[in-house]
Amino acid sequence: MFSADIYQKRRAGLVHGELRGLLLFLGNVDAPMNYRDNTYPFVQDASFRYFFGLDEPGLAGLIDVASGNATLFGTDPGVDDIVWTGELPSLAERAARIGVSASRPYAELSEVIQEALRTGTPVHYLAPYRSETVLELAGLFGTTAMSAKAAFSPALTRRVVALREIKGAEEIAEMESALAVTRQMHIAAMKASRPGAMEYEVVGLMEGIMRCHDWQLAYPSIFSRRGEVLHNHAHDQRLDAGDLVVNDTGASSKSGYASDITRTIPVGGRFSERQKPLYQAVLDMQLEAIKALRAGVRYLDVHKLAARVMVERMTALGFFKGDANEIVESGAYAIAFPHGLGHQIGLDVHDMEALGETLVGYDETAERSPLFGLGYLRLGKALKAGMVLTVEPGIYFIPALIDAWQKEGRHAGFINFEVFQSYRDFGGIRIEDNVLVTETGSRVLGEPIPKTIEEVEAIMAG
Ligand code: GLY
Ligand code: MN
Ligand code: MN
């Protein structure tokens, strides 16, 4: 948690725009795993945390735009709670920590909302993504769940995105502290990925490092020799010499900032001659993309640049035929790179996506593509200095996709299907870093994590 003045400044950024009325931020509540008192690890709503800092369930923040005053709604712990949880700060104490002078019992929130509705005062809130929040909004506004979900405020969303997408120095420092632990996790995984090891043993080792800091994962770990399965959450396979393992794992910092790193590991410690040119192609895609980043550049164009680098490398290896630009524009390249180049990252690993992927990642500078592959690009718009995003190209051999396209002859003029077929047991490669955009370029955050062929092999040999 940051000092109170950071949250005061962030909230001031909301009242100095075009918004009128009340701004409502509902924090998350505990989510039961299998019965009410056995809950998933608590994850706070990122927008609530951004403006109101507190990382506890059952809170709401309300801002009156006209006066600029903020109120924290919550419940003071009673002795019955303290018996189970130990001493807890009062609601007023929690409000003071974030520079909010007014606090009220949560039960009074509905009266405030009802009064606003009676007087025609607009109440803005962000799109809810949890059913508990949908139901809470429906109760507060006296409407149906469907209506409550639909009535979120695009104007508040735009304002929140404008503030959250430009990271302050304190946020960059948090992300780099998360990356320091994530770096240890990735290096430990490289060293432990020996033939015969089970995937879950390596995952346990990595996640143990994160738990030793009392931190949480930013997202469920992906660690798999079946790296062509883009978000493969199974960890039940034995590693064999010659496998490539995609390790997409990241911890969240103490204040909840995410890291999101992928490395691809050659089990046995050396990349094979068959793996090397494709690994190098992914690395070149990433390095060229990072080099192209700066304020004003559209991420859509950086994605296409990475795709073009891949197509050029893979054409030289016999996978594609024809003009590289045409192969990119047609979408044929997506047979090997079927996801987006990256996304913003911050308090959420896919930062602000809960507010609406297209609303956050696209604007008048870029339209979302309907093409398979490019359509999964979550961030297309022109970049601004202060944004932090992931750059995560990959090459994958997905047998079901190769078979389907071959059967229907899709992009047959550009794709040598026989060559793709001969790699159907290859797996996948992804390399991902977290990068700060600046006016003149970019900076890869955190201390470097081995990623060249030489660096990865040296760590594994050591
Ligand atoms: N770790 C999920 C992603 O890279 O988007
Ligand atoms: Mn990732
Ligand atoms: Mn990512």
Side-chain angles (χ1 to χ4, degrees):
M1 191 170 159
F2 304 121
S3 58
D5 59 308
I6 297 266
Y7 301 106
Q8 282 168 326
K9 197 168 137 226
R10 291 175 177 179
R11 292 193 298 268
L14 288 169
V15 301
H16 293 147
E18 291 155 18
L19 294 162
R20 297 288 168 261
L22 300 178
L23 314 180
L24 172 64
F25 292 90
L26 290 184
N28 279 339
V29 292
D30 268 325
M33 282 197 283
N34 47 356
Y35 56 90
R36 196 198 68 180
D37 290 334
N38 198 29
T39 58
Y40 288 105
F42 178 69
V43 179
Q44 184 58 287
D45 173 75
S47 291
F48 178 86
R49 199 167 186 183
Y50 184 84
F51 294 106
F52 289 88
L54 299 165
D55 189 26
E56 296 121 42
L59 299 169
L62 191 73
I63 299 172
D64 180 345
V65 176
S67 65
N69 291 338
T71 306
L72 181 70
F73 289 84
T75 307
D76 264 318
V79 73
D80 291 3
D81 303 305
I82 291 170
V83 167
W84 294 95
T85 58
E87 290 292 337
L88 292 169
S90 70
L91 186 63
E93 282 166 336
R94 284 182 278 169
R97 286 183 191 168
I98 51 163
V100 170
S101 50
S103 60
R104 293 176 68 174
Y106 194 91
E108 292 180 10
L109 179 58
S110 65
E111 291 163 28
V112 176
I113 301 297
Q114 286 303 318
E115 175 63 15
L117 294 179
R118 268 195 300 276
T119 56
T121 307
V123 184
H124 299 265
Y125 59 83
L126 299 169
Y129 53 91
R130 284 194 183 186
S131 26
E132 292 91 338
T133 316
V134 174
L135 291 177
E136 183 65 14
L137 287 167
L140 288 171
F141 287 84
T143 183
T144 63
M146 289 283 276
S147 307
K149 204 169 171 185
F152 76 92
S153 165
L156 177 62
T157 306
R158 283 191 291 275
R159 191 71 203 135
V160 167
V161 171
L163 294 167
R164 280 184 59 189
E165 73 183 359
I166 307 301
K167 269 57 181 183
E170 74 287 353
E171 298 182 280
I172 308 288
E174 275 292 315
M175 282 190 244
E176 295 206 285
S177 83
L179 284 164
V181 172
T182 297
R183 179 175 185 274
Q184 289 176 32
M185 293 162 72
H186 276 268
I187 289 174
M190 285 175 187
K191 292 182 173 169
S193 292
R194 286 185 284 273
M198 296 301 291
E199 290 171 346
Y200 53 72
E201 292 171 342
V202 184
V203 172
L205 181 78
M206 278 196 297
E207 295 187 0
I209 293 171
M210 178 263 313
R211 293 295 307 137
C212 285
H213 288 77
D214 197 21
W215 286 4
Q216 293 185 28
L217 292 170
Y219 54 93
S221 302
I222 297 162
F223 182 90
S224 178
R225 59 190 287 276
R226 298 281 317 281
E228 78 281 7
V229 181
L230 299 182
H231 279 176
N232 191 343
H233 292 123
H235 304 133
D236 58 354
Q237 302 213 3
R238 190 179 296 282
L239 303 183
D240 280 335
D243 285 343
L244 282 179
V245 179
V246 168
N247 180 17
D248 184 346
T249 305
S252 287
S253 75
K254 184 109 195 105
S255 293
Y257 282 84
S259 60
D260 183 7
I261 294 290
T262 308
R263 290 294 183 265
T264 301
I265 304 169
V267 178
R270 303 295 294 263
F271 290 95
S272 70
E273 292 310 310
R274 193 170 179 245
Q275 291 163 348
K276 272 183 188 170
L278 289 165
Y279 185 90
Q280 189 61 46
V282 177
L283 186 57
D284 290 345
M285 291 162 77
Q286 203 220 25
L287 296 175
E288 290 294 321
I290 291 171
K291 225 192 293 174
L293 295 177
R294 70 183 149 72
V297 169
R298 297 190 313 169
Y299 206 51
L300 178 63
D301 296 322
V302 184
H303 174 101
K304 287 186 181 179
L305 167 71
R308 198 162 57 244
V309 171
M310 180 193 83
V311 166
E312 284 165 4
R313 300 291 187 283
M314 290 186 79
T315 300
L317 296 168
F319 290 95
F320 291 105
K321 51 195 174 184
D323 178 75
N325 280 330
E326 282 180 36
I327 295 170
V328 171
E329 291 303 326
S330 68
Y333 76 90
I335 192 170
F337 174 30
H339 62 74
L341 184 63
H343 48 84
Q344 296 195 66
I345 181 166
L347 277 168
D348 302 306
V349 61
H350 284 196
D351 209 26
M352 301 172 284
E353 260 176 35
L355 306 181
E357 250 181 68
T358 305
L359 209 54
V360 170
Y362 291 82
D363 59 11
E364 62 289 347
T365 67
E367 198 177 327
R368 195 160 187 161
S369 167
L371 284 177
F372 172 82
L374 188 56
Y376 295 129
L377 179 66
R378 318 170 112 90
L379 171 64
K381 66 188 181 183
L383 304 178
K384 300 183 190 99
M387 280 184 173
V388 178
L389 41 88
T390 69
V391 184
E392 51 178 306
I395 292 178
Y396 312 87
F397 294 90
I398 305 168
L401 183 63
I402 299 169
D403 290 346
W405 282 26
Q406 183 169 27
K407 195 163 166 216
E408 65 179 81
R410 195 179 313 188
H411 301 301
F414 292 133
I415 297 171
N416 286 322
F417 283 107
E418 326 71 65
V419 184
F420 271 92
Q421 286 291 3
S422 69
Y423 277 71
R424 56 188 288 132
D425 63 343
F426 185 92
I429 301 167
R430 179 161 68 251
I431 304 175
E432 175 172 25
D433 281 305
N434 306 159
V435 187
L436 168 69
V437 177
T438 66
E439 286 297 346
T440 53
S442 69
R443 179 167 78 79
V444 177
L445 295 182
E447 218 184 299
I449 302 169
K451 69 177 170 180
T452 67
I453 289 173
E454 298 73 26
E455 287 164 355
V456 173
E457 289 185 349
I459 278 282
M460 295 183 76

